[in-house]
Amino acid sequence: MIDSTQPQALRAATSPVAARTARRRRRAGRATPYLFLAPALVLFIGLIVYPMVRAFQMSFYDWKVLAGATSTFIGLDNYTRAMGDPVFWRGLANSGVYMALSVPPQIVLGLLIAMLLKAKSPSQPVYRVLFYLPVVTSWVVVSLLFKYLFADKGLINWALADVLHLGDGSTSWLSSRWTALIAICALGVWKGIGWSMMIFLAALQGVPKELEEAAVMDGANRWQRFRVVTVPAIRPALVFVVVMLVIGGFNVFTSVLLMTGGGPGGQTEVLLTYMYRQAFTNLDFGYGSAIAVILTVIVFLLSLAQMRLFRSTDEEER
């Protein structure tokens, strides 16, 4: 019961109408974030979750794309087929080679350039733009550019023979598995350095100056300051860059498709180009979906292993 002796504002605040209004406002306040997130959630479900579930379903079928044709459930046959397919294993190996050759240089060079660009100078914005420019350039454009550079009569052979006098310039880069993979990795490194550089550059801005100054006063040299102060401070960014680059390494596709087409004779095939060829060239969507599912599982397990490795290292250091 409301005491008539209470002030008017207090009586209004404790009245049933005011209480219902307050509850409605609290409910509206709690629902507002979900209303803003709803469009993104719908897009995520429609563009990411549904295709993944659909691909998982198709991987158990001899999937027919023709109208009126009946798809046949074949269980794990597509997966057992992949385990005995030498092109699948070569594609997996090539994806691993690409990741091993392209990810470390992107991390090391990206961090090195970020540290060089950390110092304030009038030319710093220009260098940032120059190093980041490949990141925003189309994969199609740069893939065709590198295909020209590594062609039999391309710029690389000309530079090796006529400028550096290394060999006769007759190397057919894109006609052999390993030289073609080197060319593809060179493109991946050149295009990815700017991205890792920007992540590291942002992280380096957050390194406490007090710690660096204290390390200098203690007589630490540059390498000791980098190892003891800088690396622990940018560790979250380092973990993020490593995980994302490993995922990107296993998802290499456009550069391989445009530079070599998986050739010669499937020697430079990676998992994604092989999946694409099975699904959209051979119209074997069931087998292509099985390869996509296997690739998803590999990337998930690799990411999980990296996250746990970094987490356990952090716990040991504490």
Side-chain angles (χ1 to χ4, degrees):
M1 179 179 293
I2 301 174
D3 188 354
S4 58
T5 60
Q6 292 176 328
Q8 184 176 358
L10 181 60
R11 290 201 305 275
T14 55
S15 69
V17 175
R20 283 197 297 272
T21 303
R23 284 197 296 271
R24 281 199 296 270
R25 286 178 178 173
R26 284 196 296 270
R27 284 197 295 268
R30 287 194 294 267
T32 300
Y34 298 103
L35 290 177
F36 281 102
L37 289 174
L41 181 62
V42 171
L43 289 175
F44 178 75
I45 292 174
L47 300 178
I48 304 295
V49 176
Y50 176 74
M52 289 178 65
V53 174
R54 191 66 167 166
F56 186 69
Q57 177 200 7
M58 292 168 65
S59 68
F60 295 103
Y61 283 81
D62 179 13
W63 195 266
K64 305 297 183 183
V65 295
L66 298 177
T70 303
S71 300
T72 307
F73 181 79
I74 57 174
L76 296 175
D77 283 4
N78 284 322
Y79 292 96
T80 55
R81 176 184 168 188
M83 296 300 103
D85 185 350
V87 181
F88 168 82
W89 287 108
R90 190 187 304 131
L92 179 60
N94 287 340
S95 298
V97 169
Y98 177 85
M99 185 194 68
L101 294 182
S102 66
V103 171
Q106 291 180 71
I107 296 172
V108 174
L109 295 176
L111 181 56
L112 178 62
I113 295 171
M115 294 188 69
L116 293 175
L117 292 180
K118 181 186 175 185
K120 292 183 179 179
S121 71
S123 58
Q124 185 196 59
V126 177
Y127 282 105
R128 286 187 183 185
V129 172
L130 289 177
F131 281 112
Y132 196 72
L133 195 59
V135 180
V136 297
T137 308
S138 164
W139 269 103
V140 175
V141 174
V142 295
S143 297
L144 295 176
L145 173 64
F146 267 67
K147 185 177 182 179
Y148 166 74
L149 293 177
F150 284 93
D152 292 349
K153 296 184 179 179
L155 188 63
I156 299 298
N157 273 341
W158 171 80
L160 289 175
D162 297 343
V163 179
L164 300 176
H165 304 292
L166 298 174
D168 57 0
S170 61
T171 304
S172 186
W173 291 92
L174 303 180
S175 299
S176 168
R177 178 186 182 184
W178 298 111
T179 54
L181 286 176
I182 289 174
I184 294 168
C185 291
L187 168 57
V189 172
W190 176 76
K191 201 173 188 313
I193 285 177
W195 178 82
S196 57
M197 176 206 72
M198 291 302 292
I199 302 292
F200 286 134
L201 195 57
L204 288 172
Q205 306 300 323
V207 177
K209 292 183 179 178
E210 297 80 7
L211 292 179
E212 292 185 340
E213 292 170 356
V216 171
M217 293 179 65
D218 289 341
N221 57 35
R222 288 189 177 182
W223 168 248
Q224 290 170 329
R225 294 202 300 272
F226 171 77
R227 186 171 56 85
V228 178
V229 177
T230 305
V231 171
I234 65 170
R235 192 178 189 84
L238 187 61
V239 173
F240 174 74
V241 169
V242 171
V243 172
M244 295 304 293
L245 287 181
V246 169
I247 294 174
F250 263 96
N251 284 312
V252 59
F253 173 71
T254 308
S255 56
V256 178
L257 187 68
L258 294 179
M259 290 181 66
T260 66
Q267 291 296 306
T268 58
E269 203 84 76
V270 292
L271 281 186
L272 270 187
T273 56
Y274 191 48
M275 181 272 291
Y276 174 84
R277 205 176 309 285
Q278 292 297 327
F280 298 102
T281 302
N282 301 335
L283 299 181
D284 194 348
F285 280 86
Y287 188 42
S289 299
I291 296 173
V293 171
I294 294 172
L295 177 60
T296 302
V297 172
I298 292 173
V299 170
F300 174 76
L301 292 177
L302 272 176
S303 304
L304 189 64
Q306 291 174 87
M307 298 293 288
R308 290 197 171 185
L309 176 65
F310 282 113
R311 188 180 304 164
S312 61
T313 306
D314 285 342
E315 291 173 352
E316 289 176 2
E317 290 181 353
R318 289 173 188 170

